[in-house]
Amino acid sequence: MSQKWLSTLQILKPTISANIYTMFVDHMKCSHEDEQILVLEVPTAAFRDTMFKAMGMQLRDAMVKVWGTMPSVKWVFTDMLGNNDSSGQVSVLSSKGSTTAPAVHQPIAQLTPVAQPSNFDTHLIEAYTFDSYCEGISNRAAVNMARAMAENPDAQTFNPFFLYGPSGVGKTHLVNAVGNAVREKFPERRVLFVSARNFQVQYADAAMADRNNKNSTAINSFIHFYQSIDMLIIDDFQEISGEKTLKAFFHIFNHLHANGRKMLFTSDRSPAELKGLEDRILSRLRWGITIPLEQPDRTLRRDIILCKLRRDGVEGFPMDVVDYLADVVSENARELYGMVNSIIAESMKTISSHITVELAQRVVPRIVNQARKELSFREISELVCEHYGVKSKEVCSKSRKGNIAAVRHIVCYLGQKFTDISLSQIGRELGGRDHSTILHSCKKIERLFATDAAFREEIENIEITLRKK
């Protein structure tokens, strides 16, 4: 990093909040400096303007301390990469004859960008590509649309792209494949993959920063950052909740859609089944294409197993065992992967052991039970209710009686611990409660668990009973 710019950041950092520093400085890069000129790369002009409002005076003061006077600041808008066909060289468009160094809030130039910003993290899962995705009848329509989007991300036909289906059917893999393909073909584009839970946590952190510092503009910065994305992919969209978080999402969605930016969402249910969303958000989710991703049929299950064996370099895995697994394991790809791994591990316990259908028949029932944890959320709820002598319908009701609420908290805690279902799903099981309510219940039990030895022993005894079922 350039020495003067590094010194500037060292002076700047203590003068602004950590949230503001991360939000803006992490997306700024000094590409050149000398005694009079500083060249800074930022995503967009809008990013620069928002940064000025949040920390412009502090940045100016830090620059003056380092340079002795205000340097001439030139700006590279990296999101405009490739939009100028005039040359591959950097060109400075500055006001002629000016002898006064401009203030930081008065940029005098924009440079034609020549490189993708090096510090942007897409959070894409690189292993999830179209080449590693198994296609069959049950997912062909979704795959064809995904490939079309990757080939021409500027087309608005499928915007937004809403993909829904049960856990483990390949939703996350497919949207990452789109993102990775776009990044490969258009490396200058800002593609971001984020889980709905992380989106919500980021907004909560920004809101807290604004509450703690009256001069903070963290929420505006949060919204701006997402509005600067070229392709936004949100996984497990059903997890987004909260009036203010959804309001922020609404503004982000409107901006991206109005500017032709692509949006992809995955969910465990269709938009029509999402609860707690305003009509204005639901209507926007329907602007593009909504498509289900179903559980794999037998042919696709067989292909998924063969793809995994090839990818892992496994040779000699008997085809009759592949056919057996395709017949008996009907849930999803994750369960199939677990079966193959477990059978291979079991065959390695003794030198003379070989992979056979008989071996698979011994392993599969045990692994299926472990994968399902042998318990459904309803079974957990019924056992806890029976333990405390209350009825399941009372726990699912709106009752706030102390004993009912306490049992409900325990059901939430054990449900998220012993099953793989989301907090939103738990909320639906308990009478339509939202994600934040379930999270509050779990945290309440965790606090009691840590401070009340008698309570901890009681919950541990219930857990022992659950594990024995």
Side-chain angles (χ1 to χ4, degrees):
M1 184 180 292
S2 302
Q3 187 57 47
K4 286 182 178 291
W5 178 242
L6 180 60
S7 299
T8 299
L9 295 184
Q10 290 173 340
I11 295 172
L12 172 68
K13 191 169 185 178
T15 67
I16 59 178
S17 71
N19 190 280
I20 293 297
Y21 187 92
T22 300
M23 190 72 70
F24 290 103
V25 177
D26 283 359
H27 301 284
M28 299 172 67
K29 179 182 177 182
C30 173
S31 57
H32 174 76
E33 69 172 37
D34 58 28
E35 293 302 316
Q36 297 180 326
I37 295 176
L38 175 65
V39 180
L40 293 178
E41 296 182 8
V42 296
T44 64
F47 177 95
R48 179 200 61 193
D49 296 342
T50 305
M51 180 272 294
F52 289 158
K53 295 177 183 178
M55 57 178 233
M57 292 304 298
Q58 295 92 327
L59 180 59
R60 174 187 167 84
D61 291 345
M63 286 180 176
V64 170
K65 287 181 181 179
V66 174
W67 266 267
T69 184
M70 186 63 202
S72 177
V73 182
K74 321 291 183 180
W75 297 95
V76 177
F77 301 135
T78 52
D79 275 5
M80 299 299 292
L81 180 66
N83 291 345
N84 188 321
D85 296 326
S86 60
S87 80
Q89 301 296 318
V90 175
S91 60
V92 181
L93 310 176
S94 59
S95 54
K96 296 181 180 180
S98 175
T99 57
T100 305
V104 73
H105 59 281
Q106 296 173 324
I108 63 171
Q110 176 177 340
L111 309 187
T112 303
V114 296
Q116 168 69 6
S118 58
N119 59 352
F120 183 76
D121 188 351
T122 68
H123 296 287
L124 289 165
I125 304 172
E126 293 183 1
Y128 286 179
T129 65
F130 285 116
D131 288 341
S132 62
Y133 195 85
C134 289
E135 180 181 343
I137 295 175
S138 61
N139 62 17
R140 185 160 296 147
V143 173
N144 287 341
M145 291 180 188
R147 288 186 184 277
M149 280 189 296
E151 186 66 25
N152 184 12
D154 294 325
Q156 295 300 298
T157 310
F158 304 136
N159 196 25
F161 179 74
F162 196 99
L163 187 64
Y164 71 95
S167 175
V169 295
K171 302 185 300 295
T172 301
H173 189 147
L174 191 56
V175 293
N176 270 273
V178 175
N180 282 314
V182 169
R183 283 281 292 168
E184 182 177 358
K185 188 174 182 179
F186 307 97
E188 76 279 3
R189 301 207 177 185
R190 288 162 62 90
V191 179
L192 181 67
F193 172 78
V194 62
S195 70
R197 185 176 181 87
N198 282 342
F199 181 92
Q200 191 151 307
V201 168
Q202 290 167 8
Y203 178 83
D205 289 344
M208 182 176 295
D210 282 358
R211 286 196 299 270
N212 294 337
N213 182 354
K214 65 180 182 179
N215 295 319
S216 173
T217 58
I219 289 179
N220 286 338
S221 301
F222 167 88
I223 293 173
H224 165 74
F225 170 75
Y226 276 94
Q227 288 178 339
S228 74
I229 301 302
D230 294 309
M231 175 175 280
L232 176 61
I233 305 171
I234 299 183
D235 199 26
D236 292 326
F237 183 81
Q238 75 279 356
E239 294 287 351
I240 291 184
S241 63
E243 180 181 351
K244 293 182 178 179
T245 305
L246 288 169
K247 182 178 179 181
F249 170 78
F250 176 78
H251 292 304
I252 291 166
F253 184 105
N254 280 347
H255 180 89
L256 294 179
H257 198 277
N259 287 277
R261 311 284 180 80
K262 208 67 165 185
M263 289 171 283
L264 295 83
F265 308 113
T266 72
S267 175
D268 63 3
R269 71 202 74 117
S270 69
E273 297 174 291
L274 293 171
K275 295 182 178 180
L277 294 184
E278 297 179 12
D279 288 341
R280 64 177 184 171
I281 294 179
L282 287 174
S283 65
R284 281 161 173 77
L285 292 177
R286 299 188 187 106
W287 280 355
I289 184 73
T290 299
I291 188 165
L293 200 56
E294 300 172 355
Q295 290 182 338
D297 57 23
R298 184 193 182 282
T299 301
L300 182 54
R301 293 198 296 270
R302 189 175 185 274
D303 289 343
I304 288 171
I305 297 170
L306 294 175
C307 285
K308 173 177 171 54
L309 294 173
R310 285 195 299 269
R311 187 169 62 247
D312 295 348
V314 177
E315 297 180 357
F317 198 94
M319 288 305 301
D320 57 349
V321 178
V322 172
D323 290 333
Y324 169 75
L325 292 177
D327 286 333
V328 300
V329 182
S330 60
E331 289 300 315
N332 54 55
R334 291 195 192 116
E335 196 166 80
L336 286 168
Y337 293 159
M339 295 300 168
V340 172
N341 291 336
S342 298
I343 290 170
I344 293 173
E346 188 72 18
S347 71
M348 297 173 66
K349 287 185 177 180
T350 61
I351 297 176
S352 60
S353 182
H354 298 286
I355 296 175
T356 63
V357 172
E358 290 73 22
L359 175 65
Q361 288 173 336
R362 293 198 305 271
V363 172
V364 167
R366 182 175 76 241
I367 303 304
V368 169
N369 288 341
Q370 289 177 354
R372 291 176 56 244
K373 298 187 178 181
E374 191 70 18
L375 291 167
S376 67
F377 179 80
R378 182 169 297 179
E379 289 172 323
I380 293 172
S381 178
E382 289 175 351
L383 186 144
V384 174
C385 289
E386 181 181 353
H387 180 85
Y388 288 101
V390 301
K391 296 179 180 179
S392 294
K393 64 180 182 180
E394 292 178 310
V395 172
C396 295
S397 71
K398 301 297 183 183
S399 174
R400 295 185 179 181
K401 291 182 179 179
N403 64 322
I404 302 299
V407 173
R408 189 182 296 127
H409 294 327
I410 295 171
V411 169
C412 292
Y413 171 77
L414 294 176
Q416 61 87 29
K417 183 172 183 177
F418 279 85
T419 73
D420 292 327
I421 67 175
S422 67
L423 297 181
S424 295
Q425 287 174 294
I426 292 175
R428 290 196 303 277
E429 293 283 349
L430 293 176
R433 289 171 166 80
D434 63 28
H435 166 276
S436 59
T437 299
I438 305 305
L439 183 62
H440 170 75
S441 296
C442 293
K443 288 183 176 180
K444 185 178 184 69
I445 296 301
E446 288 170 359
R447 287 194 295 270
L448 285 172
F449 201 85
T451 58
D452 188 329
F455 178 78
R456 180 168 62 250
E457 182 178 358
E458 184 175 350
I459 298 301
E460 287 175 346
N461 287 335
I462 296 175
E463 290 182 0
I464 290 171
T465 303
L466 288 171
R467 290 190 179 98
K468 288 180 179 179
K469 285 185 70 67

